[in-house]
Amino acid sequence: MIKEKIRIAIFASGAGSNALKLIEHFSNNKNIEPALIVCNKPGAGVLTIAANKYIPTILIERERFFRGDAYIPELQQHNIQFIVLAGFLWKIPDLLIKEFAGNIINIHPALLPKYGGKGMYGAFVHEAVIAAKEKESGITIHFVDELYDHGDHILQVNCPVYETDTPATLAQRIHELEHKYFPVVVEQVITKKFFKEHL
Ligand code: GRF
């Protein structure tokens, strides 16, 4: 018998459209609850989304995240069991990866291993894809390990890149894929990990 929901923390640095889709997707879910938003950027759109949805937030700072306790005490206080990176631009410190071993997933707006790694985020990814005259791009949803954009892949979905594309038009196509697939994949991964025996 399942007693408690799996509480997830969504880490985001930007506008938060993926965070919003996750929050909406799980709004009536009996097993999974977005319980905390973790953000490193004052004024980020995701903070407004969190406030509107009455989800607590933590604004984190670099020194403590990378060279301190990585905010693990707060994550424990909120009973977080799973972390979803939805446009979070800092690398996850090893301490946090160990604490949440196998329970952190990320979405990347390209077909990894291409166009990943440090500095490859947001418009930079799409600019690089267009500059290389790629015929397709897409999304990669993957587990997070100690290396940037490196852990085991869970799902990749492709989309075309047109000659007329700008980073903005490609970003929009990619965002649509992210919004369609990310919440569903997060739900499937958590269900498989935590509720399999109860299905
Ligand atoms: C997404 O494209 C995600 O793949 C990338 O950062 C972007 C975040 O967009 N890592 P948003 O803040 O969810 O709108």
Side-chain angles (χ1 to χ4, degrees):
M1 190 51 192
I2 301 162
K3 291 201 192 85
E4 288 183 6
K5 289 186 179 186
I6 298 298
R7 293 164 63 81
I8 66 175
I10 301 171
F11 284 40
S13 307
S17 70
N18 279 287
L20 179 60
K21 291 290 172 191
L22 287 159
I23 293 164
E24 288 172 350
H25 181 81
F26 292 116
S27 64
N28 287 316
N29 191 289
K30 63 181 186 340
N31 294 329
I32 300 163
E33 178 181 359
L36 185 65
I37 302 289
V38 175
C39 178
N40 65 308
K41 216 167 164 198
V46 70
L47 295 170
T48 309
I49 290 171
N52 290 340
K53 297 288 182 184
Y54 305 102
I55 298 179
T57 54
I58 308 179
L59 197 54
I60 62 173
E61 57 89 21
R62 186 178 285 277
E63 187 63 23
R64 190 176 155 201
F65 191 58
F66 289 109
R67 280 172 287 279
D69 62 15
Y71 292 82
I72 289 170
E74 277 90 339
L75 294 168
Q76 288 171 340
Q77 276 157 23
H78 286 271
N79 290 319
I80 299 302
Q81 286 177 273
F82 199 91
I83 295 175
V84 179
L85 309 183
F88 185 68
L89 298 185
W90 285 353
K91 190 169 180 295
I92 300 301
D94 291 359
L95 196 61
L96 199 50
I97 289 176
K98 284 203 185 74
E99 180 74 18
F100 286 87
N103 289 327
I104 309 179
I105 68 179
N106 180 44
I107 188 159
H108 186 78
L111 297 172
L112 292 173
K114 286 172 113 178
Y115 308 106
K118 199 166 167 36
M120 272 294 167
Y121 62 88
F124 296 116
V125 176
H126 309 308
E127 278 166 17
V129 166
I130 290 170
K133 301 196 184 310
E134 295 283 1
K135 294 276 177 274
E136 60 175 18
S137 188
I139 61 170
T140 305
I141 299 171
H142 65 95
F143 287 107
V144 172
D145 67 10
E146 291 80 1
L147 303 173
Y148 249 120
D149 295 329
H150 179 267
D152 288 347
H153 292 183
I154 302 164
L155 178 75
Q156 289 194 304
V157 185
N158 300 19
C159 68
V161 180
Y162 302 115
E163 281 178 10
T164 50
D165 264 330
T166 63
T169 59
L170 180 55
Q172 191 186 339
R173 197 171 305 122
I174 298 275
H175 256 119
E176 282 167 17
L177 285 184
E178 294 183 327
H179 297 165
K180 179 173 175 192
Y181 288 99
F182 199 28
V184 178
V185 170
V186 169
E187 182 174 3
Q188 284 174 352
V189 169
I190 293 176
T191 302
K192 202 168 154 198
K193 272 187 159 294
F194 295 94
F195 298 106
K196 200 174 176 191
E197 66 273 32
H198 302 286
L199 290 175

